[in-house]
Amino acid sequence: MHRRALIVSTARDRGSLAAVRALHRSGWTVGVGTPDGGGMVTASKACARRHVVARPRGDGAAFVHDVQEAVRSGGYDIVFGAGDDWMAALAEFREQIPAPVAHPPAHAVRNALDKLELAQAAARAGIATPRTVAATEETLRLWIGPVVVKCREHWSPGQTMPYRIEAQRFDGPRQALPQVERINAAGARAVLQKPIEGSLSALVGLFHHGRLDGRVQQISSRVFPTPNGVSTRAQTVPVDAELAARAESLLTSIGWEGLVELQFLLDEQETPHLIDLNGRFYGSMALADAARPGLAHAWALRTLGEPTPTLEDAAVGHRYAWVAGDVRRAVAERRDSLTRDLGETVRWARGARHSVWDLSDLGPTRQLVFDRLSLAVRSSKS
């Protein structure tokens, strides 16, 4: 049976690109909807069709209309959202979407995306988390020491915020106040979080009927921006069975189903502290697809109620590289020397699965280079 999948996303989402390629390799015809109908993701030869889909803002009417039109014109069997806002909006408006939505019910998505609710649920499941509190005048006044300021959630019905405000670390509450005010002014809510010094790690899998299958555990040796950024280098490691069991308890409690990436920071004692839950295609997904092929395919089949093969744990030792991010990190950090750091970037990239670069699918790389050159030209003229 020939199947069709629609992914709605921003044009430069690296997780979407990995998913488009993975689903195509599994025999799916894949369409992509972006705000302008083009971009890096749609430049992949694995993308069979492009659609214009408005970002989910305001009352969501334009977003719903565009998804409806894309599903009908493309004959899609399933719809995925890449990015928290796309995922949450699909879950919220699922009754208006004329195809099955891959994501869990709206209440589960809201539980997962709310940083404060997630931290409390994790604690009940026996998973360590950084101290997390709502950013109020009182909590700012009482906070002592460095602090990370985050949006409590990245999407909610009626949101008009035009972009995602990323987490930032500050030396203290006085320095953090402008960022809290910025988040509040954008119509979002801020939380304060105690920084954890350590390595970024993740546990990935498909959660279904209380069990996490197809598990992939990875650890990142470099991130950008430092220290609160995303993986520029990562490698698969053996699955921590105790952590996975606690993760299953957490996911059950919030009502989750489907793909999940739980992000942790490992402190000096190697204790994992949960900092985020990604329930959609994520930046380093190309690593999971290399080490445990078929996750996107299995997720789609389970959503459609079809049988799936047994999903074993990922192989250990697979490497991932986001070279563009790692070069920018090297320029910013200059570990030992810039030349040495860039040399390590090149050596790591050899034999690694890349987030964008693929010799058999050069369209996304060409489009990304073109977009950046165009931006540089416009900036020079302004």
Side-chain angles (χ1 to χ4, degrees), residues 209-245:
H209 291 170
R211 179 177 172 81
L212 190 64
D213 298 323
R215 302 178 302 184
V216 183
Q217 193 155 343
Q218 64 188 59
I219 189 166
S220 302
S221 55
R222 300 288 186 274
V223 299
F224 182 80
T226 307
N228 299 313
V230 299
S231 302
T232 64
R233 304 181 199 171
Q235 186 168 0
T236 54
V237 296
V239 173
D240 181 335
E242 181 178 350
L243 179 62

Side-chain angles (χ1 to χ4, degrees), residues 236-259:
T236 54
V237 296
V239 173
D240 181 335
E242 181 178 350
L243 179 62
R246 293 181 180 181
E248 289 174 340
S249 177
L250 165 65
L251 296 169
T252 298
S253 72
I254 64 175
W256 196 260
E257 284 285 327
L259 181 72

